[in-house]
Amino acid sequence: MNFLLKKEISQSNKFLKQGYIISKVEKRKSLNYLKNIITINSQKILKRKNLNLNKIHNYVSANNVNEFRLEILNKLNKDSNSRFHYFNLARESLSNLTSNELMMQKNINLSIQLPNDESSLLPIHSDVWSGDSPYEINLWLPLVDCYRSKSMYLLKKKYLEKFILKLKKNKIKNSSKIFNLVKNEIIFLKIKFGNFLIFDQTLPHGNVINQEKETRWSMNCRFKSMFSPYGDKKIGEFFLPITTRSMTKIGLKYKSPFIK
């Protein structure tokens, strides 16, 4: 039996078929809150007003972009409301695709990719290859319009089984060789500002050199069901509960009077 609503079934089927969904943010206020943190702190660091995030490469070089990114990231994760607003962007979709009792990554990630910068590359990978649980889901948020090489790519889900067989057969571990294996079977996702991406991180993904004339800004954070299996990243160390229900709290505290 399936008691999901038609809207939930439609979203679930789409996700299961293609391994990702792109949708409008559910709370625009939360998007504005997060972008304001990024923009205001960027302006303070660079001592400039009315910054256009797309044009940040005019003020930040490839040599110091990571230091700049970490300074903003520190401000973002120190803000006591940032995680709530990040979750609030896609609360209904995360609940539908994952669980209504969720664990959330302790810290939000931030990526800044300048045009033609080779230092910000993320080679093809699947998060589960490095210890993440296959039960985790990734909420990816663009802070600017992302397209072509300014975006991320994802292996089309219909090719996943074929890719795994190729990988086992050829025993390839070099990321550039893995990319060459699937370069005709990936899709560069087009995601406008105001939308979010939720994707299955068991699918190989990554980025390439940004050959567009604008800087890419994106955020990402992982979520999982509280009671689904964990990988190397555990509760407290990496994940914190954010939607624990009443009966779970009662059940976790319960001690049987008949057990010594």
Side-chain angles (χ1 to χ4, degrees), residues 151-191:
S151 186
M152 62 170 280
Y153 63 78
L154 197 66
L155 177 70
K156 293 176 183 177
K157 187 164 184 178
K158 64 182 180 180
Y159 295 119
L160 182 59
E161 287 187 16
K162 179 183 171 185
F163 164 76
I164 291 170
L165 287 173
K166 279 185 180 180
L167 210 57
K168 286 180 177 178
K169 183 180 178 181
N170 295 288
K171 297 180 180 179
I172 299 171
K173 292 185 179 179
N174 180 286
S175 60
S176 61
K177 289 183 179 179
I178 292 174
F179 181 77
N180 288 332
L181 201 65
V182 296
K183 63 183 179 182
N184 296 322
E185 298 166 351
I186 60 173
I187 180 172
F188 282 86
L189 301 172
K190 184 178 180 180
I191 314 167

Side-chain angles (χ1 to χ4, degrees), residues 124-138 160 163-164 167 199-205 222-224 229-233 239:
I124 189 167
H125 68 287
S126 166
D127 294 6
V128 295
W129 296 350
S130 55
D132 284 276
S133 167
Y135 291 84
E136 295 169 22
I137 203 167
N138 200 318
L160 182 59
F163 164 76
I164 291 170
L167 210 57
F199 70 95
D200 169 9
Q201 58 185 21
T202 67
L203 291 177
H205 56 279
R222 298 178 182 90
F223 296 81
K224 70 184 296 297
Y230 290 78
D232 293 340
K233 295 169 182 177
F239 286 104

Side-chain angles (χ1 to χ4, degrees), residues 15 19-21 90 93-94 97 137-139 196-200:
F15 185 79
Y20 71 92
I21 59 164
S93 297
L94 287 168
L97 298 173
I137 203 167
N138 200 318
L139 172 58
F196 64 76
L197 162 73
I198 294 179
F199 70 95
D200 169 9

Side-chain angles (χ1 to χ4, degrees), residues 37-101:
I37 292 177
I38 301 297
T39 304
I40 289 169
N41 282 293
S42 295
Q43 291 176 165
K44 285 180 180 178
I45 294 166
L46 298 174
K47 298 179 181 178
R48 292 184 177 273
K49 294 181 179 179
N50 304 317
L51 271 180
N52 180 343
L53 296 183
N54 272 309
K55 303 296 181 183
I56 209 76
H57 52 274
N58 291 330
Y59 312 107
V60 179
S61 70
N63 290 332
N64 59 20
V65 66
N66 192 50
E67 183 182 348
F68 172 70
R69 181 187 69 86
L70 290 174
E71 196 169 347
I72 295 171
L73 190 57
N74 183 51
K75 299 288 185 184
L76 175 70
N77 283 311
K78 277 188 174 180
D79 183 274
S80 59
N81 296 311
S82 62
R83 290 175 75 252
F84 166 76
H85 284 291
Y86 200 87
F87 166 58
N88 212 34
L89 294 167
R91 176 190 289 260
E92 288 183 19
S93 297
L94 287 168
S95 176
N96 181 37
L97 298 173
T98 312
S99 168
N100 68 351
E101 290 193 284

